[in-house]
Amino acid sequence: MARKPYVAKQSDHWYLQTPFYKKYMLRELTCIPVMLAALNFFWCIAALASSPEAWATWVSFQRNPIVVIMLNIIAIIAALFNSVEWFKAMPKAMPIQVGEKFVEDKKMIAGSWVTFAVVALIVFFVIKVLM
């Protein structure tokens, strides 16, 4: 006698049921604008290596207000949102033990933001020196 397998009933809109799932899906969707910004950057490198005409085409594309708003600003916001969420999750995913005690969540998150700021400043100054 064959048994019927259990099939869980899952709504097509399961991610809209709780705020936790909504935030989860929003965090996962941040990969799209970040991916578009990365592809734009790869196009930049390819145009720079290709020819002066290709570079001029890329530069003129970057001057379009839609590119500035839709690609760059939204990608920065998405990356920052993703950073906030991952920094909050880091103490749970990777607890650090010192002696008998664990490092407090707030200290780990603050350390992540300090590291983020230091790296951002280094990148900013390197770019400023190169320009």
Side-chain angles (χ1 to χ4, degrees):
M1 177 170 190
R3 295 190 319 174
K4 291 172 78 178
Y6 173 74
V7 178
K9 293 181 173 103
Q10 181 75 4
S11 165
D12 289 341
H13 304 290
W14 61 269
Y15 52 90
L16 297 174
Q17 292 174 355
T18 65
F20 176 81
Y21 290 150
K22 288 177 189 175
K23 198 174 210 180
Y24 166 78
M25 291 305 290
L26 183 62
R27 184 181 69 231
E28 295 305 312
L29 286 173
T30 59
C31 71
I32 295 171
V34 172
M35 175 206 57
L36 292 174
L39 289 174
N40 184 41
F41 180 68
F42 293 144
W43 179 27
C44 167
I45 293 171
L48 186 60
S50 180
S51 67
E53 295 82 21
W55 176 251
T57 302
W58 183 83
V59 169
S60 67
F61 178 73
Q62 295 307 305
R63 290 186 177 143
N64 187 336
I66 293 173
V67 172
V68 172
I69 294 169
M70 296 298 288
L71 186 67
N72 298 326
I73 293 176
I74 291 176
I76 289 170
I77 291 169
L80 284 173
F81 175 74
N82 199 304
S83 297
V84 167
E85 292 301 310
W86 280 109
F87 288 167
K88 282 197 262 180
M90 188 183 60
K92 294 169 184 63
M94 190 177 61
I96 298 174
Q97 187 172 1
V98 178
E100 295 293 321
K101 296 183 179 183
F102 286 94
V103 176
E104 294 177 30
D105 291 359
K106 289 181 181 181
K107 288 182 180 178
M108 287 183 69
I109 294 169
S112 298
W113 281 113
V114 167
T115 305
F116 181 87
V118 168
V119 170
L121 285 172
I122 290 170
V123 169
F124 174 76
F125 285 119
V126 167
I127 290 173
K128 189 169 171 76
V129 167
L130 293 176
M131 294 178 107

